[in-house]
Amino acid sequence: FRTAAGAEIDVVVQRGRRRLGFEIKFSSAPKPARGFWNAVEALELDHAWVVAPVRESFPLAEAVDVISPLALAAVLDARM
């Protein structure tokens, strides 16, 4: 998803009333760009994840977490 204002996120999934966002990074110390944060706000996402090659998940902000690709399936099963 991308807007003319520069808001950008890799994947947005709408499941019922829930809107979820996903950003893919290849760094083990991911730092999403300003466009990601703008997209989280503009889309009014319920939760967003930065999927990256990390060993353990950790929070980046309220309703935004960094997570490994392997842990993502379990988290989505629990939230959907």
Side-chain angles (χ1 to χ4, degrees):
F1 173 83
R2 182 187 310 231
T3 68
E8 178 182 340
I9 193 165
D10 291 331
V11 178
V12 176
V13 175
Q14 179 130 8
R15 182 95 176 185
R17 291 183 179 189
R18 295 184 52 83
R19 187 176 287 171
L20 310 172
F22 302 89
E23 181 75 7
I24 313 302
K25 295 292 185 188
F26 294 104
S27 169
S28 59
K31 294 182 182 179
R34 184 178 327 157
F36 166 80
W37 298 107
N38 291 342
V40 168
E41 184 178 324
L43 293 170
E44 298 178 357
L45 298 178
D46 293 295
H47 203 97
W49 289 270
V50 177
V51 183
V54 295
R55 289 182 186 236
E56 293 188 30
S57 300
F58 59 91
L60 272 185
E62 184 178 338
V64 179
D65 294 302
V66 174
I67 192 166
S68 75
L70 296 174
L72 183 60
V75 167
L76 291 178
D77 282 344
R79 291 192 179 248
M80 301 259 186

